[in-house]
Amino acid sequence: GAGVSQTPSNKVTEKGKYVELRCDPISGHTALYWYRQSLGQGPEFLIYFQGTGAADDSGLPNDRFFAVRPEGSVSTLKIQRTERGDSAVYLCASSLRNGGAGSYNEQFFGPGTRLTVL
Amino acid sequence: AQSVSQHNHHVILSEAASLELGCNYSYGGTVNLFWYVQYPGQHLQLLLKYFSGDPLVKGIKGFEAEFIKSKFSFNLRKPSVQWSDTAEYFCAVNRAGTASKLTFGTGTRLQVML
């Protein structure tokens, strides 16, 4: 597609439930990123995939958060036993594989999924 | 660890006023620098970027930013703002030559009055 897409656009769930958030990157982009944006804050990094593997998962806040990208394209962010503090906008971005300096490093963002945990 | 500071949290300007938004970063290495904009109800969009070369970079919609390495700064400027520039602006940094994670500032909300 023309841009990064994310589904659903909004997700309301109850505390303790499990949720899955989906990201479709730009076709041909091998790098995929998940960020989380809380109200009044900038996006915070969660995890980065290069192809199918997680190249950097240092931003995942705890073991309730997990992400996969089994075929190197679509990615799913999974949150177990959701807590009210997980409420935020979850952003996905993609970029061409890094080959050094230049426009390969530009990250293109999707519209986000707004997660509300009641 | 990388960090980004944006000094202005909320800026209110009249149309045609000049704009300068501050951004300072902390990182012990060579960086890529970005300004992203988020218009009301829309997703993050790249406004401009610096990878190397001329430290004065020009972006879309008349925006420009200057990388001053000695000050670890990447301030965003526009000579004359328009009502349509009302948005949230985020400065971001990542490690040069990589596709590594972006570290964002907390953002500056710009409100342009008619």
Side-chain angles (χ1 to χ4, degrees), chain A residues 12 21 42 57 85 102 118:
Chain A
V12 180
L21 311 179
D57 65 358
L118 302 176

Side-chain angles (χ1 to χ4, degrees), chain B residues 50-75:
Chain B
Y50 172 81
F51 292 125
S52 63
D54 189 344
L56 183 63
V57 292
K58 296 191 183 298
I60 59 171
K61 304 186 180 185
F63 285 91
E64 65 179 31
E66 185 175 12
F67 170 48
I68 303 180
K69 190 174 180 180
S70 61
K71 294 185 178 180
F72 297 90
S73 71
F74 191 56
N75 292 356

Side-chain angles (χ1 to χ4, degrees), chain B residues 4-88:
Chain B
V4 177
S5 295
Q6 291 185 242
H7 319 297
N8 319 100
H9 298 293
H10 190 192
V11 173
I12 302 174
L13 295 172
S14 298
E15 269 204 326
S18 64
L19 170 73
E20 181 159 1
L21 301 182
C23 172
N24 285 88
Y25 69 92
S26 172
Y27 181 66
T30 307
V31 296
N32 299 319
L33 294 154
F34 307 84
W35 276 96
Y36 279 86
V37 60
Q38 190 166 28
Y39 297 104
Q42 297 188 28
H43 60 275
L44 276 169
Q45 301 171 40
L46 184 66
L47 200 54
L48 50 78
K49 59 187 182 289
Y50 172 81
F51 292 125
S52 63
D54 189 344
L56 183 63
V57 292
K58 296 191 183 298
I60 59 171
K61 304 186 180 185
F63 285 91
E64 65 179 31
E66 185 175 12
F67 170 48
I68 303 180
K69 190 174 180 180
S70 61
K71 294 185 178 180
F72 297 90
S73 71
F74 191 56
N75 292 356
L76 181 70
R77 300 194 292 250
K78 186 171 184 179
S80 175
V81 295
Q82 300 174 304
W83 178 79
S84 58
D85 293 326
T86 295
E88 187 131 22

Side-chain angles (χ1 to χ4, degrees), chain A residues 5-103:
Chain A
S5 62
Q6 293 185 246
T7 54
S9 55
N10 278 284
K11 176 71 177 177
V12 180
T13 191
E14 293 179 343
K15 181 175 177 296
K17 299 290 188 184
Y18 167 83
V19 296
E20 288 190 353
L21 311 179
R22 176 188 166 107
C23 172
D24 271 278
I26 293 172
S27 178
H29 281 192
T30 59
L32 185 146
Y33 310 78
W34 284 99
Y35 294 85
R36 177 168 72 172
Q37 186 175 15
S38 301
L39 196 62
Q41 300 295 317
E44 292 179 305
F45 170 77
L46 295 176
I47 186 169
Y48 152 51
F49 288 90
Q50 187 61 260
T52 59
D56 182 355
D57 65 358
S58 62
L60 295 178
N62 51 59
D63 62 5
R64 296 187 297 105
F65 288 74
F66 188 71
V68 295
R69 194 185 185 201
E71 296 177 357
S73 178
V74 170
S75 176
T76 305
L77 179 66
K78 308 180 181 194
I79 310 174
Q80 298 178 319
R81 306 183 303 280
T82 52
E83 299 177 357
R84 291 194 180 89
D86 298 336
S87 296
V89 176
Y90 288 80
L91 297 169
C92 178
S94 70
S95 71
L96 287 169
R97 196 209 188 288
N98 66 306
S103 59

